[in-house]
């Protein structure tokens, strides 16, 4: 009973400590994302004060768990000592009076000790189990969340059937690819606009049998909050419509260039630009989509040839061309400096003080590099959400 009660108490403390860790990590992410806002309003004190309280609360939870774990560690040995002492006190006179043999007396003491060791092992197993129960419960909840995978599989099968039926029923000229003639079809899509406090509930419109031919540029325009972004999300298959479906030939790759530019800060500028290249064709400079000349042409068209981006890209290209590529079958983890005399890559003490490309990039450059990455990827369907709204007129 005591062990069961202590086990439940430990589970409760572990849950509180885990929630505290999540809250602390959440505040770290929040502070990182809101850094520019804090800078603009010169209000670091508010973030620091709140984060200090979060850390203090987390420290109290951790100390409570450590204290509880310490006393739990000595609980079973103390129970064993008390039980053995009580037995010696109560049964000792039976040995002196000859009622109980000395062998039976010592065997019983050993039995108490053995039981204590067994209970201590059981409790240690309970402690180890309690540490994995909460993560397992979180994973179980995640694995059982509803997904739109069945709906996506149904749409994929319908798209495949759409192209298959078209191939069977139509004859195309051999002068052009027969796959280039099948449009993207949107049928019975219910398009809802954003809720407006002035106009009341969201207005819903139906997209009846819209066909988007390949090789065209489609402009989507309309008043604010009229559902343009939702339309693009359906076209990019980022969101599945509640009614109707979007049918596009399955062999067409679709890339969505969102309004907010996003980059991976832990990799180089060149690796960010080549991020969208299909893994089936390595994103090296031998790939025709990733040749330095092609990337330079795209950067030049976006007005980046006179900025630091141009120099950064050229420097990274030179480094990759100079660095010897590993031969097939070689282990990438082989130590090339067995004597330990050279500095490991990325361990230069002055590297931490150097300004990275992500810190040098301006907002306008960020938008243009965001667009350049999509153009380098060269998909069959390129979906752009407000791609040039923050560029100057000449560049537009």
């Amino acid at each position: 009973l005591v062990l069961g009660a202590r086990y439940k108490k430990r589970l409760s403390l572990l849950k509180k400590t885990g929630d505290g860790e999540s809250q602390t990590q959440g505040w770290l992410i929040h502070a990182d994302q809101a850094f520019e806002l804090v800078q603009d309003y010169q209000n670091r004190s508010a973030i620091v004060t709140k984060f200090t309280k979060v850390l203090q609360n987390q420290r109290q939870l951790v100390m409570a768990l450590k204290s509880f774990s310490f006393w739990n560690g000595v609980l079973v040995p103390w129970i064993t000592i008390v039980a053995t002492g009580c037995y010696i006190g109560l049964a000792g006179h039976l040995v002196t009076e000859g009622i109980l043999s000395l062998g039976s007396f010592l065997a019983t003491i050993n039995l108490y000790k053995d039981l204590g060791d067994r209970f201590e092992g059981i409790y240690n197993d309970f402690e180890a189990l309690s540490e994995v129960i909460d993560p397992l419960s979180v994973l179980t909840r995640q694995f059982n969340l509803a997904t739109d995978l069945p709906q996506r599989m149904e749409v994929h099968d319908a798209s495949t059937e759409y192209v298959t039926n078209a191939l069977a029923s139509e004859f195309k000229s051999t002068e052009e690819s027969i796959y280039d003639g099948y449009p993207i079809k949107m049928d019975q899509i219910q398009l809802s606009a954003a809720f407006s406090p002035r106009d009341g509930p969201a207005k819903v419109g139906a997209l009846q049998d819209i066909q988007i031919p390949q090789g065209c540029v489609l402009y989507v325009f309309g008043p604010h909050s009229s559902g343009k972004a939702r339309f693009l999300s359906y076209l990019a298959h980022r969101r599945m419509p509640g009614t109707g479906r979007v049918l596009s030939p399955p062999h067409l790759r679709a890339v969505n260039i969102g309004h907010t530019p996003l980059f991976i800060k832990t990799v180089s500028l060149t690796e960010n630009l080549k991020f969208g290249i299909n893994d089936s064709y390595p994103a090296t400079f031998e790939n025709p989509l990733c040749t330095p000349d092609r990337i330079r042409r795209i950067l030049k068209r976006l007005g980046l040839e006179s900025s630091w981006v141009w120099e950064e890209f050229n420097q990274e290209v030179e480094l990759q061309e100079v660095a010897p590529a590993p031969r097939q079958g070689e282990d990438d983890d082989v130590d090339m400096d067995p004597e330990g005399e050279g500095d490991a890559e990325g361990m230069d003490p002055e590297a931490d003080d150097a300004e990275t490309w992500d810190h040098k990039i301006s907002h306008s450059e960020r938008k243009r590099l965001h667009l350049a990455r999509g153009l380098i990827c060269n998909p069959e369907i390129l979906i752009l959400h407000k791609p040039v709204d923050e560029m100057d007129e000449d560049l537009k």
Side-chain angles (χ1 to χ4, degrees):
L1 291 176
V2 171
L3 292 180
R6 303 291 286 182
Y7 175 65
K8 291 182 179 179
K9 177 67 174 177
R10 178 178 173 80
L11 284 180
S12 176
L13 288 174
L14 280 172
K15 184 178 184 307
K16 291 180 180 179
T17 306
D19 292 343
E21 290 177 355
S22 299
Q23 186 181 15
T24 304
Q25 294 173 0
W27 262 97
L28 281 172
I29 296 173
H30 170 73
D32 179 63
Q33 294 176 343
F35 178 74
E36 292 185 3
L37 179 65
V38 174
Q39 289 283 83
D40 292 340
Y41 285 84
Q42 300 180 6
N43 197 15
R44 294 187 180 185
S45 59
I47 295 293
V48 172
T49 302
K50 179 64 179 177
F51 189 60
T52 301
K53 292 181 180 179
V54 172
L55 288 179
Q56 290 175 348
N57 179 59
Q58 175 65 10
R59 182 177 181 275
Q60 292 176 357
L61 293 173
V62 171
M63 293 305 297
L65 179 60
K66 288 184 176 180
S67 176
F68 183 81
S69 299
F70 170 76
W71 289 111
N72 274 356
V74 299
L75 174 65
V76 175
W78 272 106
I79 291 178
T80 305
I81 292 173
V82 170
T84 305
C86 291
Y87 175 74
I88 293 174
L90 294 174
H93 69 281
L94 298 178
V95 177
T96 58
E97 295 176 359
I99 300 176
L100 183 65
S101 67
L102 181 60
S104 299
F105 179 75
L106 295 176
T108 305
I109 293 178
N110 288 330
L111 178 62
Y112 273 107
K113 182 180 180 301
D114 183 59
L115 286 175
D117 293 340
R118 289 179 182 273
F119 270 105
E120 187 174 6
I122 292 173
Y123 190 74
N124 290 336
D125 292 339
F126 274 148
E127 283 191 333
L129 181 63
S130 65
E131 293 179 357
V132 300
I133 281 182
D134 192 56
L136 284 177
S137 64
V138 172
L139 287 175
T140 303
R141 288 196 299 268
Q142 293 290 332
F143 289 150
N144 285 278
L145 290 176
T147 68
D148 58 356
L149 181 60
Q151 187 180 3
R152 289 182 179 274
M153 293 176 64
E154 181 183 352
V155 171
H156 178 77
D157 292 341
S159 298
T160 304
E161 183 180 0
Y162 156 59
V163 175
T164 303
N165 293 338
L167 285 171
S169 60
E170 297 181 7
F171 176 81
K172 293 291 181 180
S173 171
T174 57
E175 295 181 357
E176 60 176 315
S177 172
I178 59 176
Y179 293 101
D180 292 340
Y182 303 127
I184 300 172
K185 299 175 65 175
M186 304 181 74
D187 188 28
Q188 301 296 329
I189 301 293
Q190 297 293 327
L191 194 62
S192 60
F195 178 81
S196 172
R198 182 183 61 184
D199 300 332
K203 299 177 181 179
V204 177
L207 302 178
Q208 301 286 348
D209 193 21
I210 292 181
Q211 296 194 14
I212 306 173
Q214 295 187 45
C216 75
V217 178
L218 175 70
Y219 292 89
V220 182
F221 57 92
H224 182 66
S225 299
S226 59
K228 301 184 295 297
R230 188 177 293 268
F231 174 84
L232 294 179
S233 68
Y234 292 159
L235 194 59
H237 295 292
R238 298 186 67 203
R239 180 185 299 178
M240 303 303 293
T243 59
R245 56 191 179 183
V246 179
L247 299 179
S248 61
H251 63 282
L252 301 183
R253 295 172 303 148
V255 170
N256 179 73
I257 309 296
H259 178 53
T260 303
L262 299 173
F263 297 93
I264 303 175
K265 300 179 181 180
T266 55
V267 301
S268 66
L269 174 66
T270 304
E271 289 176 344
N272 269 278
L273 290 173
K274 298 188 298 183
F275 177 74
I277 304 302
N278 196 323
D279 291 339
S280 60
Y281 201 138
T284 61
F285 288 132
E286 287 77 16
N287 187 326
L289 295 179
C290 295
T291 60
D293 289 340
R294 179 174 181 270
I295 296 177
R296 289 190 187 102
R297 286 197 301 271
I298 293 174
L299 296 178
K300 187 174 182 179
R301 289 289 297 273
L302 293 171
L304 292 169
E305 75 279 6
S306 60
S307 70
W308 66 269
V309 174
W310 189 267
E311 297 179 2
E312 181 82 12
F313 173 73
N314 288 328
Q315 290 176 2
E316 293 180 3
V317 170
E318 291 177 2
L319 288 176
Q320 293 194 31
E321 289 177 346
V322 171
R327 289 175 297 180
Q328 186 175 6
E330 285 187 349
D331 189 357
D332 294 338
D333 296 330
V334 173
D335 186 6
M336 302 302 295
D337 186 20
E339 301 298 329
E341 297 177 356
D343 291 333
E345 183 180 358
M347 298 301 290
D348 185 0
E350 297 181 359
D352 293 337
D353 298 331
E355 190 176 26
T356 62
W357 70 268
D358 182 69
H359 292 120
K360 294 188 290 186
I361 190 171
S362 67
H363 186 70
S364 174
E365 292 167 342
R366 193 178 295 271
K367 290 283 291 187
R368 284 179 279 174
L369 287 174
H370 186 53
L371 180 58
R373 179 172 49 196
L375 297 174
I376 292 170
C377 180
N378 195 32
E380 288 78 19
I381 304 173
L382 187 62
I383 298 149
L384 308 171
H385 185 205
K386 300 179 180 179
V388 297
D389 60 334
E390 298 179 18
M391 299 181 187
D392 55 50
E393 294 301 324
D394 293 339
L395 190 56
K396 287 182 182 181

